[in-house]
Amino acid sequence: MAEMMSQLKILSPLSGQTWPLERVPDPVFAQKLVGDGVSIDPTDAVLLAGCDGEVVSLPATGHAVTLRTREGIEVLMHVGIDTVTMKGAGFHPRVKPGDTVHAGDPLIAFDLDFLATHTKSLLTQVVIANSDRVVSCERAGGCVSAGKDILLTVTLKSDGAAPPPAETVAVISEAIVIPNASGLHARPAAVLANLAKSFASTITLQMGDRQVNARSITAIMALDVPRGAKVQVVARGVDARAAVEKLARVLADGCGDEGCVPAPAPATTTTSPLSAPPPRRQPTDPNLLIGVAASPGLAVGEVFQVRRMEIDVAEPGEGVDAERRRLAAALAAAHGQLAALRAQLHAKADPAKAAIFAAHEELISDPDLLEIAESAIAKGKSAGFAWKKAAATHADRLAALRNELLAQRANDLRDVGQRVLSLLTGVDVRPPAYPPNSVLVAEELTPSDTAALDRSRVSGICTTRGGATSHVAILARSLEIPALAGVDPAVLDVPGGTVVILDANDGTLRLHASSEAVAVIRRAQERSELRRRENTARALEPAITLDGRRIEVLANIGGLEDATRIAGLGGEGVGLLRSEFLFMGRRDAPTEEEQFETYKAIAEAVGPGRPLIIRTLDVGGDKPLDYLPIPKEDNPFLGERGVRVGLDRPEILRTQLRAILRATAFGKVSVMFPMIATLNELRDVKAMLCEEAASLGVPPVAAGIMVEVPATAIMAAQFAREANFFSIGTNDLTQYTLAMDRGHPKLARQVDGLTPSVLTLIAHTVRGAQPLGRRIGVCGAIASDPGAVPILLGIGVDELSVSLPAIPAVKAQIRSLRFDECQRLAERALAAESAQEVRALVADPHAQPTSGNAGS
Ligand code: PEP
Ligand code: MG
């Protein structure tokens, strides 16, 4: 029987110039992997429905929408290329999934100017997603008018009964037993939600009779899936089968969590090992309170009770549109604050802390959270009321979970909630300046408050909630503030000013400590303070070993404020200016003028004759920039990162090089390129540097490279012919040598720059580059590590570039060493079998060079 055919005409959703799909700069569309259709270069900014139909998908990012017609044809409209990375910025959907629309109805409004300057391309693809239903697709050419011209004439296969629309057929996975030791906590939830977002289908995760949106991190976390529980993935839509297969596989593999082993099933009602709090020791002494060690150390101080500030909000709103705008503005401002915070932490090379605030950014964008707030606003509530309620509902849901890890994320949600609420209401929630020697006592501190703590005033932290895995604990550890969590709530009644000893090593808080006990601890603290003062007093003296080798000690800095402190601390210049700080936490790239002014000010602050090494923009990988969208990559640390970004977007790098070249008039400035892996990369960036210098009429500046990739260390001799100096970035060199993510919470302890393989690459770099007289520095974190300093000296590096506070101690330590002994120590370290063995060598007084305690 001959097939009957019918036609479907689709009007143009936008005005503009049509483009063949094959020329779209995205292989997924160009190769018609999504389906056949056409692209439009738009001149207007509201995407209209090209036909009648139902909205079957509209991701939270609002950059694409799929309509299903009466005939079951699915028309996908995708605004721009890689615009998913805009995370919704610039897009304003006018419909939601499930809505019925008519041809000509507005679907998505977008900011044409903003997106034109922030995305790769605004080419908008209109494609038939279920092309198996299509015989042919005729496309309009030339210019088209939105809602008037026919864009696509689709000839449909029709053999009588049309197959049921894809969405009505649910694809359901087999039951998957969750292998993650801690169940589906934040990290696997984020992995799963992100993966789900890459599919057009509606996807839910089902456990028992509960189903949640698989695109929402908090909804997944709130499902409270413990290890061993059985879940199913349910998908409806164009790519349901692929989605179910992929998500089920990823779930069964543990969503990237380390060491997942198949779990015994079933366990939907069992309690995860972490869920039962450890039995509390019962002290017999009423002055001794017990807690969990969250950050090690010993502190003496006076209790300062920290109370959470409640922000009052009016319930009724002042109009739905006005309240929506208010919430959107506050969310955008919160994103800005968090991105700036992340940038600062990156500038301080603190990826673990930066990751905490990156997670907060994710929480603010959580579709479920936003949906709750939005629906309250739609009911006439104020933005403040709606947001407060949404955040509190989510936080309470998490806090009630049996899984300790998940329950602790409730504090992150409260923190984010308070940040946005403070922006909405203008109420300042910043903590007060605590008196010196404070031991903070609270139910819970927020990560934001903890990150901002002043170590010189806060000696300890004691909370009744939280635990060793909370973000507050991670932050306290990185600030080296001793902390106890889960302490008896009786501590909340201890009067302010009470003298306490907080022993986080032993998990105890002693109230009303005896003056003798306090005196012993204070004496030990005084000794170390005395040593610190002595080091500071001699900070301006050069760092020369006992047998006469001079090592330059420079500073790693992240901005002008740091630069003003260098000289006072004895820094002999800047070995690494992380220029990212200028680029992060803003909506567009800094201009040449802005950059020049900043580099000039820094050069002047560093002072004449002192080196200032400016590293060009090092973003990508773990350091994203909103206005430089880098397509999502499977392995961002192995993708567009460091100098590769500058080579791909030469205008950004050239602008920066011009600003640096102009700043050379104000100091001893040189330029350094990050993540160089091949000679060609170095040649390309040097060519750019020469061209820009010629166009400015100034001599080219000295150009060095960071040695962060094993390939570069191995080829140091070849690089030495073309690079003026070397700086070894051991943070990255270690992660790339060991193939272990430097910010990975579980691997962190193993990512040790004193691993013999890394030391061997450092030694190889020195041997390759020194014969040509190149200076070799180390600017990674091990340069400030007292255990590493003698070994690095022994290997033969010329300079150490260290964090600001470490300068006096590193210089003092160098003054206490003998170079010939360091050489012998380095030989033994290079022959060692593990980082532990190397560290043991340094700790061994017989193996160690002369008096090594000056730096501690
Ligand atoms: C390094 O990788 O060692 C380094 C100094 O660079 P960053 O920490 O900024 O990546
Ligand atoms: Mg690096």
Side-chain angles (χ1 to χ4, degrees):
M1 196 173 76
E3 243 188 21
M4 284 176 43
M5 295 188 195
S6 59
Q7 280 193 328
L8 172 68
K9 294 194 185 300
I10 297 168
L11 297 175
S12 185
L14 287 165
S15 300
Q17 173 75 38
T18 57
W19 277 64
L21 217 45
E22 294 81 350
R23 285 179 54 198
V24 169
D26 179 341
V28 176
F29 285 111
Q31 292 167 17
K32 303 194 179 168
L33 298 180
V34 185
D36 201 357
V38 69
S39 183
I40 306 169
D41 192 2
T43 50
D44 50 17
V46 180
L47 185 85
L48 305 180
C51 53
D52 296 351
E54 184 192 341
V55 178
V56 290
S57 97
L58 200 156
T61 40
H63 68 293
V65 56
T66 305
L67 296 184
R68 190 170 54 232
T69 70
R70 200 163 20 95
E71 299 83 356
I73 294 301
E74 284 168 357
V75 185
L76 168 76
M77 285 158 275
H78 188 284
V79 183
I81 303 294
D82 290 340
T83 38
V84 66
T85 58
M86 299 301 296
K87 298 195 178 140
F91 290 103
H92 313 287
R94 297 287 182 252
V95 288
K96 55 185 186 325
D99 283 358
T100 302
V101 295
H102 297 289
D105 285 353
L107 300 177
I108 300 172
F110 50 93
D111 297 337
L112 200 58
D113 290 341
F114 173 71
L115 292 172
T117 49
H118 289 77
T119 62
K120 203 163 160 183
S121 162
L122 261 181
L123 281 176
T124 296
Q125 290 57 248
V126 183
V127 297
I128 307 300
N130 48 353
S131 23
D132 54 319
R133 304 271 336 269
V134 170
V135 175
S136 65
C137 184
E138 217 177 283
R139 295 160 279 261
C143 286
V144 285
S145 293
K148 294 201 179 90
D149 293 326
I150 293 171
L151 185 73
L152 294 174
T153 305
V154 185
T155 305
L156 310 176
K157 276 186 199 164
S158 172
D159 50 5
E167 192 174 347
T168 61
V169 184
V171 182
I172 306 173
S173 72
E174 301 272 296
I176 307 144
V177 180
I178 296 299
N180 308 61
S182 307
L184 287 188
H185 62 97
R187 194 169 39 252
V191 169
L192 194 69
N194 279 320
L195 189 60
K197 283 180 201 160
S198 68
F199 291 94
S201 300
T202 319
I203 309 174
T204 52
L205 190 68
Q206 181 161 346
M207 184 174 74
D209 57 358
R210 291 168 61 206
Q211 279 206 357
V212 296
N213 179 356
R215 290 190 169 89
S216 161
I217 300 173
T218 51
I220 299 172
M221 293 198 296
L223 197 57
D224 191 14
V225 184
R227 169 175 153 84
K230 280 184 177 175
V231 297
Q232 284 176 291
V233 180
V234 182
R236 292 181 174 82
V238 284
D239 49 8
R241 191 159 300 282
V244 165
E245 275 170 17
K246 180 88 185 180
L247 265 68
R249 201 166 52 242
V250 168
L251 272 166
D253 288 348
C255 296
D257 256 7
E258 201 200 30
C260 287
V261 284
T268 42
T269 54
T270 59
T271 310
S272 83
L274 277 168
S275 60
R280 197 184 277 278
R281 282 184 280 157
Q282 288 302 327
T284 44
D285 181 346
N287 279 326
L288 194 67
L289 300 179
I290 305 291
V292 177
S295 170
L298 189 63
V300 178
E302 290 170 15
V303 165
F304 187 99
Q305 295 281 357
V306 182
R307 298 286 177 247
R308 241 165 85 84
M309 186 193 281
E310 191 62 34
I311 300 181
D312 292 328
V313 284
E315 186 169 338
E318 293 168 4
V320 173
D321 282 345
E323 298 298 336
R324 270 194 192 129
R325 274 197 302 277
R326 254 178 223 163
L327 181 59
L331 289 171
H335 269 296
Q337 287 183 350
L338 289 167
L341 199 52
R342 199 156 43 82
Q344 279 170 22
L345 293 169
H346 270 300
K348 292 188 176 132
D350 209 337
K353 270 203 258 171
I356 293 173
F357 294 101
H360 283 200
E361 282 185 76
E362 281 268 356
L363 283 176
I364 294 190
S365 317
D366 189 276
D368 259 19
L369 187 63
L370 298 180
E371 209 175 296
I372 300 179
E374 164 61 33
S375 86
I377 290 179
K379 288 188 191 110
K381 308 293 180 196
S382 73
F385 183 86
W387 175 259
K388 189 173 174 182
K389 188 130 189 58
T393 307
H394 258 59
D396 290 348
R397 240 200 251 170
L398 287 174
L401 299 180
R402 289 165 295 128
N403 182 316
E404 188 196 347
L405 275 180
L406 297 183
Q408 282 168 11
R409 293 293 100 90
N411 191 30
D412 291 282
L413 206 52
R414 288 197 196 99
D415 190 1
V416 168
Q418 193 82 335
R419 180 182 292 278
V420 176
L421 208 53
S422 143
L423 285 159
L424 274 168
T425 55
V427 175
D428 188 351
V429 288
R430 276 173 305 175
Y434 300 113
N437 261 328
S438 294
V439 171
L440 303 186
V441 174
E443 269 186 38
E444 200 155 43
L445 294 180
T446 64
S448 303
D449 291 349
T450 312
L453 288 181
D454 179 350
R455 175 77 186 85
S456 66
R457 290 173 169 266
V458 176
S459 350
I461 299 173
C462 177
T463 58
T464 58
R465 294 202 207 153
T469 50
S470 73
H471 283 158
V472 168
I474 294 172
L475 290 164
R477 285 197 288 271
S478 80
L479 289 166
E480 295 179 10
I481 300 181
L484 281 184
V487 178
D488 190 321
V491 75
L492 299 173
D493 299 324
V494 175
T498 305
V499 176
V500 291
I501 297 177
L502 185 152
D503 187 346
N505 305 321
D506 192 35
T508 57
L509 182 81
R510 174 156 296 281
L511 308 178
H512 311 293
S514 73
S515 46
E516 297 79 42
V518 170
V520 170
I521 295 169
R522 288 237 159 100
R523 271 199 297 278
Q525 288 174 333
E526 274 160 18
R527 276 196 300 276
S528 97
E529 177 57 21
L530 189 66
R531 196 156 53 233
R532 198 187 61 75
R533 283 216 208 106
E534 279 167 9
N535 292 345
T536 307
R538 296 189 56 197
L540 302 190
E541 295 173 23
I544 302 174
T545 63
L546 294 169
D547 48 352
R549 181 170 165 89
R550 170 141 194 200
I551 302 292
E552 250 181 293
V553 179
L554 307 169
N556 289 347
I557 64 167
L560 179 58
E561 196 199 314
D562 289 347
T564 57
R565 295 172 52 209
I566 298 172
L569 289 164
E572 293 163 301
V574 173
L576 170 64
L577 168 63
R578 290 186 165 98
S579 64
E580 297 80 82
F581 77 98
L582 258 168
F583 289 77
M584 298 182 92
R586 43 185 297 157
R587 296 196 68 125
D588 43 20
T591 60
E592 178 185 326
E593 207 51 38
E594 271 177 81
Q595 291 190 55
F596 162 67
E597 288 298 341
T598 308
Y599 302 146
K600 174 180 165 222
I602 292 176
E604 285 170 346
V606 172
R610 292 215 178 98
L612 165 59
I613 300 177
I614 304 179
R615 177 175 75 183
T616 61
L617 181 62
D618 183 19
V619 290
D622 58 331
K623 310 174 197 169
L625 278 186
D626 290 346
Y627 53 88
L628 244 182
I630 294 171
K632 209 169 173 50
E633 298 179 318
D634 283 345
N635 291 304
F637 277 114
L638 303 181
E640 266 199 85
R641 243 206 108 184
V643 76
R644 296 170 197 172
V645 175
L647 286 168
D648 187 56
R649 285 130 162 122
E651 64 294 347
I652 300 249
L653 183 55
R654 282 180 185 276
T655 305
Q656 184 172 29
L657 292 176
R658 277 198 303 277
I660 294 172
L661 284 161
R662 286 171 58 196
T664 54
F666 301 89
K668 197 175 158 196
V669 176
S670 49
V671 66
M672 177 158 77
F673 297 101
M675 281 283 297
I676 291 280
T678 67
L679 273 166
N680 278 344
E681 286 171 347
L682 175 60
R683 287 176 188 152
D684 287 349
V685 288
K686 277 184 74 180
M688 281 189 207
L689 184 65
C690 287
E691 283 160 21
E692 295 308 327
S695 81
L696 288 169
V698 298
V701 61
I705 58 169
M706 297 225 18
V707 180
E708 301 179 278
V709 180
T712 312
I714 292 165
M715 285 183 48
Q718 290 93 319
F719 276 101
R721 293 185 213 125
E722 304 184 35
N724 296 115
F725 60 90
F726 289 68
S727 185
I728 305 176
T730 45
N731 307 337
D732 276 315
L733 186 62
T734 309
Q735 83 162 338
Y736 290 125
T737 304
L738 295 171
M740 289 183 188
D741 183 339
R742 64 194 255 188
H744 194 294
K746 284 193 187 156
L747 301 177
R749 226 167 287 166
Q750 294 178 66
V751 188
D752 188 339
L754 284 188
T755 305
S757 53
V758 179
L759 295 177
T760 303
L761 287 173
I762 298 174
H764 193 81
T765 307
V766 171
R767 281 198 297 273
Q770 255 172 3
L772 289 179
R774 305 300 182 216
R775 278 190 81 72
I776 301 146
V778 175
C779 63
I782 64 168
S784 323
D785 179 342
V789 168
I791 297 175
L792 294 174
L793 256 60
I795 288 177
V797 304
D798 303 297
E799 63 190 37
L800 298 176
S801 191
V802 307
S803 63
L804 277 174
I807 294 172
V810 170
K811 287 181 94 175
Q813 187 181 5
I814 293 170
R815 284 187 220 110
S816 73
L817 297 171
R818 282 192 62 88
F819 178 55
D820 52 4
E821 288 179 10
C822 290
Q823 284 177 309
R824 283 195 287 280
L825 177 70
E827 267 170 41
R828 297 183 62 188
L830 286 164
E833 291 182 0
S834 64
Q836 291 89 316
E837 198 188 318
V838 175
R839 290 207 176 268
L841 279 180
V842 185
D844 173 1
H846 301 296
Q848 243 211 86
T850 314
S851 68
N853 66 352
S856 58

